[in-house]
Amino acid sequence: MLTGSKTTFKVRQMLPDIKERMLSQSGVHARSRDVFGLRCLPGECVLQRAVMVRKKLTAREGRGWVSGTLFCTHFRVAFVPQDSPKPDDNADPVLLGDHDVALASIEKVVVVGPNRTKLVTPNSSLKFTPEELVLYCKDLQVICFLFDRLTPDAQVIEITYTIAKTYQPLKPGSVLSFQNAALGSVEMKQFLSNRRRNTHMNWFESALDWEQELERCGATGWRVSSVNDRFEMSTSLSRSIAVPQKVLDTELKKSFAHFNEGRIPRWCWRHPRGSDLLRMASFQNNIYHEKDDIRNLEMILFGCQASLCVVVELGEELPSPADVQLAHSRLRALCLGDISTSVSVPDDKWLSTLESTHWLDYTRACLRKASEVACLLRGGHLTVALQEADDRDMGCVVSSLVQVMCDPHCRTQHGFQSLVQKEWVVAGHRFYSRINYHRDNDKEEAPVFLLFLDCVWQLLSQYPSRFQLTDDFLLALHDSIHLPLFSSFLANCQRERCKRSQNLGQSYTPVNGWRDMDSSSDPSDPPLPSVWDWSLQYSKHRRDRFTQPVPPTPPLQPLLNGNLNTNPDTHRLTDTIPGSVFLLSRGIFSCPANLLPWRGGGGGSSGVYKKSHRRAASSENVPGLERLLKAWALAEFPQGLTSTSGPQGPLDPYEPLLPLLMGPCMGLWKECYLRGALHAQAFSHPISANHPHPVERLAREVQQLKDELALVSTGTDTSPPAKMAEPRRADTNLNQNTNNGTFLFPAARPQSASAPRAAPRAAAPPTSTNHHTSRGPPPASAPPSRHGHKDNGGNKHTFLFGHPSVAEARPDQHHYPAPNNAKLPKSNGSSIAS
């Protein structure tokens, strides 16, 4: 009888699991299901769960702790709070909840026990019951769970082992297994196949999309060519490209062979003042050039402009993909430390170590180069061609930044998404190789796209009122990169994406002629959604924070003859001999002796190669080009960067947003890079539970100082010190190369353009707390933990401090970089974290 009772009890315990597995295999449920209070995706199985678990909330979540149940499925680690509403089974599925983390995003699992910390691997054996579970993620998040005393030890051990063994599947097909876990069910495939695309953005996947962009920019002298419709000319370019109207497709075909990977000069964007931005790969020197070939190339290069073309060499000043990868790995090590060795950077070495990563140097270099190109395009009536060896990395960064600086449409959410589609996804950036989802091609791995997002965040932090998109949107896009679920990132070019969707049709080769193109995709593979399908990834509450209200942009006024400049230096620039080509490299303009290959002589053995159909430009015109950047800055701000007055005349929404690039004005994206740094420091600096962490003590002192200074600045104190009565002279010290500790982490900036700007900010002292301290309720006290474990991180939320940047205080004011200092030093001790 006793044995039967035990058997009955075990069967009752197993009934929910059996029912859940039967539902997942039945294939009759088209929507999410409620399993133990967790809203599961169709086909998703719960592998393990633990009750009475507390999750530590981040600054964006309000800080403190929240109690609930922890789940591990074969797709994610999910946390369901106790007071969460009952899930709606009829609602559309969402891949990740507000408290969930995908298994593919986890980098390592760490458990904390009595006076010890252990890194858990699939082959680890635990000799103690964990009190805390910490998940280190690839997107720099650190998620902490605290087990209650009443949580059964068996559940604690089992869910820890399950997560450790599930987040690291076997390498062969690991990405595919993760996709099948999330999207492989019959119901999910049908749901994704019926999913509608966002009609408010331009996808740049058809000739009609490109024609709409030409019409939006007013590029009347360009047309859309389908010469690469079957990817015959270039496998890495898109089906449709924009070329000058006067160039025929028969002439265009002769040009592909002269450039690396067939990436010929092609149109990207037109400035409202009439200048055109082009992109191209390096010229092939080892191919015989006919006279007609050179003429056709010149027609493509000059486009609709007859006076001037400036070729901007990107490889000389900007970092290589290997440099970007090394800098990002160093930044990760600095922010997260090495939990396995309990070694981290001391506080007094933190800033110098940050500079040694060169991440801020590379961000500054990209912004400086984009600022130079934006100033050139602002001159009007010329063509600027960005040249890179393969035109698939830094060309994407600079061309995108230029359009973000100059085009208000690209600073909206839909405009920014269209920009990424045009300059990254369709243009052939190697997302699959650069992100390296399989971890089998480390030599090609480089987070170039994350560097671009950092550059955009720098512009957003200095001009918050000029952007509709917010840092929440940039952070969501940053985190989505680490999920191998989206077609946007799981291919290196448009051809590979078409190959997966079996839309290639036929191709032609001189040897084999027309033939059907092979497809490597399996019909059973799940359809991959686009990264822009945000409702599939995030809840409405999270998506509402992606945008902020901005003033409407006035309609673009048509320009007569494409140029309405009154700048004398600009007239001198555009009045040069028709057909002049200049090369901008290392911040210096030069007049190359030969148009091809634009770097000077060599490489060509033909006599035709040395003769160009353009007229030679006079060397006296080169200083006029160099003075363009200076004259443009001085015309707007005669007093220079230290001017306290606003822009001269009415604000033009199409003037470029040129960022401040001095050390104190370049910030560290702390909402992204430092959101897990506090946990890493706490675990790598074990201290007594009876004493607060040094970070916590510093945070309390800074908060106390901030409160006292806030009283003084608002006039509450009737007898403020004499020093505080003086205005802060931040502008006059921007050019000083200092390493003052007060340049750390600025105060909060306005979250939306509609929010009133604080009047006394200019008089605020230079030291202030991280802006997260002003959000949400006060930190809650730590909950009781297992075995009397005490958590001292209730107030561990800020430990670096500083003053707001000048551009933040005046977001609508233009600032311009020094034009002649294009080459940056490897290290600048005055760079800061903001």
Side-chain angles (χ1 to χ4, degrees):
M1 188 68 179
L2 182 61
T3 304
S5 300
K6 289 183 177 180
T7 304
T8 304
F9 178 74
K10 289 183 179 180
V11 170
R12 288 179 178 176
Q13 279 188 322
M14 296 172 60
L15 278 177
D17 290 334
I18 297 174
K19 180 181 178 182
E20 195 273 334
R21 293 177 187 273
M22 291 177 61
L23 288 174
S24 64
Q25 298 174 2
S26 61
V28 296
H29 293 269
R31 295 298 183 189
S32 305
R33 306 180 321 280
D34 184 2
V35 181
F36 304 119
L38 174 66
R39 184 186 177 192
C40 293
L41 299 173
E44 185 179 13
C45 300
V46 175
L47 303 179
Q48 192 58 244
R49 67 181 178 127
V51 297
M52 291 176 284
V53 180
R54 292 177 174 87
K55 179 191 175 185
K56 190 165 187 177
L57 300 179
T58 62
R60 291 175 178 267
E61 297 170 335
R63 303 192 183 281
W65 299 79
V66 60
S67 300
T69 305
L70 184 64
F71 297 88
C72 177
T73 72
H74 61 336
F75 164 65
R76 56 179 169 159
V77 176
F79 181 80
V80 179
Q82 281 182 345
D83 55 352
S84 60
K86 185 178 180 180
D88 184 6
D89 293 342
N90 295 323
D92 290 340
V94 178
L95 294 177
L96 296 174
D98 293 337
H99 299 281
D100 302 347
V101 56
L103 291 172
S105 298
I106 300 177
E107 189 173 29
K108 52 188 174 182
V109 178
V110 176
V111 293
V112 181
N115 301 323
R116 60 184 304 182
T117 301
K118 181 177 178 59
L119 179 66
V120 183
T121 63
N123 299 323
S124 298
S125 60
L126 288 176
K127 299 181 179 179
F128 62 93
T129 302
E131 300 174 358
E132 294 184 44
L133 174 65
V134 186
L135 305 180
Y136 284 72
C137 303
K138 298 173 183 176
D139 55 9
L140 294 173
Q141 290 190 78
V142 178
I143 302 177
C144 179
F145 298 100
L146 180 66
F147 297 111
D148 192 85
R149 302 173 190 166
L150 301 179
T151 306
D153 291 351
Q155 292 186 6
V156 174
I157 297 292
E158 288 299 327
I159 198 168
T160 302
Y161 276 133
T162 302
I163 296 174
K165 293 179 180 180
T166 310
Y167 88 97
Q168 284 185 337
L170 298 177
K171 277 192 174 181
S174 59
V175 174
L176 183 59
S177 63
F178 181 77
Q179 294 168 1
N180 287 326
L183 313 173
S185 65
V186 176
E187 301 88 348
M188 202 66 181
K189 288 181 180 180
Q190 183 178 4
F191 172 76
L192 294 175
S193 62
N194 297 329
R195 199 79 169 163
R196 292 184 178 181
R197 278 189 164 188
N198 188 345
T199 58
H200 298 286
M201 59 173 288
N202 195 332
W203 294 83
F204 292 97
E205 294 181 349
S206 65
L208 180 60
D209 295 341
W210 283 95
E211 290 174 357
Q212 292 177 355
E213 180 71 1
L214 290 175
E215 182 180 359
R216 186 189 72 86
C217 297
T220 56
W222 299 82
R223 68 178 181 88
V224 180
S225 173
S226 301
V227 66
N228 196 43
D229 183 62
R230 301 180 185 275
F231 305 103
E232 303 166 349
M233 303 291 102
S234 175
T235 58
S236 61
L237 285 181
S238 59
R239 293 178 183 269
S240 304
I241 56 178
V243 297
Q245 285 184 346
K246 56 187 176 182
V247 181
L248 302 177
D249 284 352
T250 55
E251 300 170 340
L252 195 64
K253 290 181 179 180
K254 302 177 182 179
S255 305
F256 284 90
H258 297 299
F259 292 87
N260 289 343
E261 300 186 19
R263 300 180 69 86
I264 62 173
R266 62 204 182 279
W267 180 88
C268 294
W269 178 72
R270 164 161 283 197
H271 193 278
R273 294 183 180 271
S275 301
D276 291 307
L277 179 65
L278 277 63
R279 285 177 58 181
M280 63 182 180
S282 295
F283 187 78
Q284 294 280 12
N285 299 341
N286 56 353
I287 299 178
Y288 180 80
H289 312 293
E290 296 289 347
K291 185 181 296 185
D292 291 340
D293 294 348
I294 299 179
R295 182 184 293 108
N296 294 335
L297 291 176
E298 290 179 357
M299 294 173 62
I300 299 173
L301 185 64
F302 284 96
C304 303
Q305 314 295 341
S307 61
L308 180 64
C309 175
V310 179
V311 178
V312 181
E313 173 60 41
L314 302 180
E316 298 292 335
E317 300 173 59
L318 300 183
S320 65
D323 296 333
V324 176
Q325 171 64 14
L326 180 60
H328 190 263
S329 61
R330 289 175 176 175
L331 182 66
R332 288 183 57 86
L334 172 64
C335 296
L336 295 184
D338 189 355
I339 194 66
S340 59
T341 59
S342 299
V343 175
S344 63
V345 178
D347 295 340
D348 56 346
K349 303 277 186 173
W350 201 91
L351 275 181
S352 59
T353 308
L354 172 63
E355 288 299 325
S356 65
T357 64
H358 299 302
W359 182 258
L360 293 180
D361 289 336
Y362 297 155
T363 305
R364 185 186 296 109
C366 294
L367 288 170
R368 181 182 297 277
K369 180 57 65 176
S371 300
E372 293 176 355
V373 175
C375 289
L376 286 173
L377 291 170
R378 191 263 178 194
H381 204 62
L382 78 159
T383 300
V384 179
L386 305 179
Q387 177 179 262
E388 188 187 10
D390 56 2
D391 184 38
R392 303 181 71 174
D393 289 303
M394 289 302 147
C396 303
V397 175
V398 176
S399 60
S400 302
L401 287 178
V402 169
Q403 296 176 57
V404 171
M405 291 178 179
C406 300
D407 193 346
H409 174 70
C410 297
R411 298 192 287 270
T412 65
Q413 179 181 351
H414 294 141
F416 186 83
Q417 293 176 177
S418 301
L419 175 67
V420 174
Q421 279 289 127
K422 178 178 65 172
E423 301 295 340
W424 293 83
V425 178
V426 177
H429 177 66
R430 301 185 185 93
F431 276 111
Y432 188 79
S433 300
R434 294 300 183 221
I435 301 174
N436 193 16
Y437 287 120
H438 276 294
R439 300 297 176 213
D440 56 355
N441 194 5
D442 296 338
K443 293 183 179 180
E444 294 291 330
E445 183 178 356
V448 179
F449 186 71
L450 301 186
L451 179 66
F452 163 68
L453 293 182
D454 197 314
C455 294
V456 176
W457 179 86
Q458 301 287 343
L459 292 171
L460 174 62
S461 63
Q462 295 192 22
Y463 297 94
S465 63
R466 305 293 290 275
F467 282 80
Q468 185 204 39
L469 56 88
T470 63
D471 53 356
D472 286 278
F473 173 83
L474 295 178
L475 190 62
L477 185 55
H478 173 279
D479 295 345
S480 299
I481 288 285
H482 300 89
L483 287 181
L485 290 177
F486 309 109
S487 59
S488 308
F489 305 140
L490 282 171
N492 289 329
C493 58
Q494 188 182 12
R495 179 177 180 270
E496 293 184 6
R497 293 182 186 88
C498 295
K499 202 174 181 180
R500 194 182 195 281
S501 59
Q502 299 180 351
N503 291 330
L504 275 181
Q506 294 180 324
S507 67
Y508 177 83
T509 57
V511 178
N512 299 322
W514 290 102
R515 61 185 179 87
D516 293 333
M517 303 191 73
D518 297 332
S519 176
S520 60
S521 61
D522 191 328
S524 62
D525 291 348
L528 299 180
S530 170
V531 69
W532 312 123
D533 193 354
W534 294 115
S535 60
L536 184 65
Q537 302 181 54
Y538 297 106
S539 62
K540 186 179 183 303
H541 173 72
R542 177 76 181 271
R543 287 182 277 123
D544 289 341
R545 302 202 305 259
F546 283 1
T547 58
Q548 63 181 358
V550 293
T553 302
L556 179 63
Q557 299 297 327
L559 300 182
L560 299 178
N561 299 326
N563 190 7
L564 287 181
N565 287 320
T566 58
N567 192 331
D569 278 86
T570 303
H571 276 301
R572 178 176 180 178
L573 178 68
T574 57
D575 291 341
T576 54
I577 301 175
S580 299
V581 176
F582 293 92
L583 177 67
L584 175 59
S585 179
R586 296 184 179 271
I588 300 175
F589 289 96
S590 61
C591 181
N594 302 308
L595 173 62
L596 304 175
W598 297 304
R599 275 194 174 187
S605 59
S606 171
V608 178
Y609 167 76
K610 296 182 180 180
K611 295 180 181 180
S612 174
H613 293 276
R614 69 183 175 91
R615 300 181 184 179
S618 174
S619 59
E620 66 180 8
N621 291 322
V622 179
L625 281 168
E626 292 179 344
R627 281 200 298 270
L628 173 64
L629 302 180
K630 286 184 179 179
W632 164 227
L634 295 177
E636 296 294 326
F637 293 96
Q639 301 178 10
L641 291 176
T642 60
S643 172
T644 57
S645 61
Q648 306 296 323
L651 180 65
D652 186 355
Y654 293 96
E655 295 293 351
L657 304 182
L658 300 182
L660 284 169
L661 299 178
M662 280 88 67
C665 303
M666 294 294 296
L668 185 70
W669 191 3
K670 63 178 179 297
E671 291 88 352
C672 178
Y673 304 137
L674 297 182
R675 48 184 165 172
L678 184 60
H679 295 285
Q681 287 199 10
F683 291 131
S684 58
H685 290 87
I687 58 176
S688 173
N690 297 326
H691 297 83
H693 193 273
V695 171
E696 182 180 353
R697 295 200 304 268
L698 178 61
R700 291 176 180 176
E701 294 175 4
V702 173
Q703 180 64 37
Q704 182 180 2
L705 180 61
K706 178 189 175 183
D707 295 339
E708 295 176 359
L709 293 177
L711 294 176
V712 174
S713 61
T714 55
T716 306
D717 193 346
T718 58
S719 58
K723 291 184 179 180
M724 302 309 298
E726 299 179 0
R728 178 169 55 90
R729 303 175 181 176
D731 296 340
T732 58
N733 295 325
L734 284 178
N735 291 322
Q736 296 180 3
N737 185 12
T738 63
N739 194 17
N740 194 333
T742 59
F743 282 143
L744 293 175
F745 292 19
R749 63 173 184 273
Q751 295 301 313
S752 64
S754 60
R757 199 170 292 125
R761 172 172 294 190
T767 52
S768 63
T769 306
N770 183 346
H771 74 270
H772 283 316
T773 58
S774 61
R775 294 186 183 179
S781 59
S785 59
R786 298 175 53 84
H787 310 298
H789 177 71
K790 295 182 180 180
D791 180 83
N792 297 310
N795 196 25
K796 302 177 186 176
H797 52 270
T798 177
F799 57 98
L800 295 176
F801 46 92
H803 78 287
S805 63
V806 178
E808 178 186 330
R810 299 189 300 274
D812 293 336
Q813 179 173 339
H814 295 289
H815 301 278
Y816 304 95
N820 293 332
N821 298 329
K823 185 63 178 177
L824 297 172
K826 281 295 183 181
S827 178
N828 184 355
S830 60
S831 294
I832 58 132
S834 64

